[in-house]
Amino acid sequence: MGPVWQRLTVVAVIATCLTYVVSSLIFDTRQGAGPVILVLTSGHGVHAGDLPVLLAWVVGMLGCGWLALREP
């Protein structure tokens, strides 16, 4: 796979992740559901339902980092 196809693939993955994150934040009722797996403050934490959104964000950020550090 040539450099152009690699970049286009990473861009497509980032776009998919960002679309998922935004749609989850707007429409998903599962977010904030399930057991708390990480307590941040007394009234806030990371729930099991938040994990897919966090995973999509991490994948998108890794793709952005890969694009930023890749030589032209």
Side-chain angles (χ1 to χ4, degrees):
M1 182 161 55
V4 173
W5 288 107
Q6 288 176 345
R7 286 180 187 257
L8 290 176
T9 301
V10 172
V11 167
V13 169
I14 292 171
T16 302
C17 289
L18 291 176
T19 302
Y20 175 74
V21 169
V22 169
S23 64
S24 291
L25 291 173
I26 295 172
F27 301 113
D28 197 1
T29 57
R30 292 177 299 145
Q31 189 175 5
V36 176
I37 55 176
L38 177 65
V39 176
L40 300 175
T41 65
S42 62
H44 295 85
V46 177
H47 295 81
D50 298 331
L51 289 181
V53 175
L54 290 173
L55 179 62
W57 179 80
V58 167
V59 170
M61 293 305 291
L62 289 172
C64 287
W66 183 81
L67 284 175
L69 297 175
R70 184 146 164 80
E71 293 186 26

